[in-house]
Every structure is written in C-alpha cells, then in structure tokens.
Amino acid sequence: MSHPAPTATAEPVVGRRERKKQATRAALREAALRLSLRHGVENVTVEQIAYEADIALRTFFNYFSSKEEAVVASLSSGAEALIAEFRARPLTESVLQAFREAVLTVMNRSDAAGRDYIEAMRLIRKAPSLVPQKLAVLATQEQALATAIADRLGLPQGQSPGDGPVYPAVCAAAVLSALRVVLDQWLLPGPGPELTPSMAVLGRQIDEAIAELATGLDRHR
C-alpha cells in the first residue's frame, strides 16, 4: 500500500491585522525606550509614550499595562530572538556551543532591535523600578530555553513541574545566569570614550563563562 510523500511545512503567513498589531507594539516599545533613555524612566509618562508613538492613549493599554512593561519589552524581544537563534543552530553543535553562537548572533545585530536590546539592558541596570518586569522576562526566557534544550536533545517533557528530566531546566538556568553575569560586566562603563566594549571582548567573556560551565563548578581549595 502506497503512502503519500510528506510535504514540507510552510511558514505561517502573518496577516495584515497581525502585522499592524506588531507594528503598533513595536512603535510603543521603541518610544518608551527612547524617552526613558532621554529623560529617565521616572520622568516619563504613559501619555508621553503614546504621543511619541503617535498612538491613542487607550490603545497603549491594549498592549502594555504600564510604562515599565513597555520599556522592558525591548528586552523581551531580545530574549525571544535568542531562543529562536538557539533553535536554529545546527544539531551537530553541543548545547553550550549553540547557546554561545546564538548569543553572539543576537548581540551582534546592527539593526534597531539589536541596538534597543543593548540599550534596554543598560537602562535596566540603573533603574530599580524596572527590576520586577526584568525578572518576569528572565523567568519566561528560562522556561522557553529549557523547552528548546529538551527539544534539541530529544528529551521527554513532563506534564507538570518536576515530572521530566532535570537537565534542561538546570542547564537553562545556569547558562542564562552566566550570561547575565557576563553582560553586567560587559556593560560597565569603560575608561575610554566607548560606552560599550567591543563584541570581541564580549565573545571572550562568554567563552570564559561557558568554559567554566563545561568543566563543572565543583572545586576544592
């Protein structure tokens, strides 16, 4: 008995309505970050963000619950891009190698989204009011990365927390914690005129952190 040949799965088509919603969200996100960098988060209002984005105030709340959430949305967008890049890496790469390459790809982007991701991280470092939103983004990112790691390795996923292998969750938490440490150091103002060190410096710092993870953290004095 013959069976039909499998067909390639087509990429989902984004409709006009969805594209408009994405554009509106991006406009609000970019306006919130731009104004906060210029004036400080505490000095920016939701009304100013809506006006800057040329969007009605009532529309703002269809996308974000607060100005803080809108500002941190650039970080959320970058986190989603990192997971997508990790999933796209060749299966011949190890988990840590794929993560390293995904990070450098996202951080090295020269488009507005890449720049906004770095600016959002820099802003969050000096704005305590953004910490709760940052933690929410990081928690979501950690869960998404754990799922991506499990999928990459073909590991089963439990139906409830604690029901599946522990490796994906532990690995995701470890690599993202290492990345946060590296980025915090990388974003520290340098002695020269450059606000941010080069990508080469970031690459070396990430390699060092990943090497520590790869060799294990248990040590004797």
Side-chain angles (χ1 to χ4, degrees), residues 97-113:
Q97 182 182 3
F99 180 78
R100 186 253 188 202
E101 297 301 328
V103 169
L104 293 182
T105 297
V106 171
M107 295 298 296
N108 203 29
R109 288 168 57 177
S110 59
D111 59 5

Side-chain angles (χ1 to χ4, degrees), residues 27-185:
L28 288 168
R29 180 186 72 219
E30 292 163 7
L33 180 60
R34 186 164 57 247
L35 289 173
S36 296
L37 289 169
R38 189 183 306 159
H39 305 294
V41 178
E42 66 281 0
N43 298 318
V44 175
T45 65
V46 170
E47 290 80 2
Q48 290 172 326
I49 295 171
Y51 181 82
E52 177 82 2
D54 194 23
I55 292 170
L57 177 59
R58 66 180 180 276
T59 302
F60 175 94
F61 292 103
N62 292 334
Y63 294 87
F64 301 108
S65 62
S66 65
K67 66 179 182 181
E68 289 84 5
E69 185 181 353
V71 172
V72 176
S74 291
L75 185 64
S76 180
S77 179
E80 293 169 0
L82 175 59
I83 301 302
E85 289 291 343
F86 176 80
R87 285 187 173 278
R89 297 303 306 173
L91 293 179
T92 53
E93 296 177 352
S94 70
V95 169
L96 294 182
Q97 182 182 3
F99 180 78
R100 186 253 188 202
E101 297 301 328
V103 169
L104 293 182
T105 297
V106 171
M107 295 298 296
N108 203 29
R109 288 168 57 177
S110 59
D111 59 5
R115 292 192 300 271
D116 285 352
Y117 181 57
I118 294 175
E119 292 297 341
M121 289 190 297
R122 182 178 287 116
L123 180 63
I124 290 169
R125 290 186 70 254
K126 55 185 180 182
S129 64
L130 297 177
V131 170
Q133 285 75 21
K134 172 189 175 182
L135 293 177
V137 169
L138 295 177
T140 299
Q141 183 186 31
E142 186 175 303
Q143 183 176 4
L145 180 59
T147 299
I149 291 171
D151 290 344
R152 184 180 188 84
L153 299 178
L155 297 176
Q157 298 183 46
Q159 298 300 312
S160 60
D163 192 27
V166 72
Y167 173 81
V170 170
C171 185
V175 296
L176 289 177
S177 294
L179 178 60
R180 289 195 289 274
V181 170
V182 168
L183 291 178
D184 280 344
Q185 295 179 352

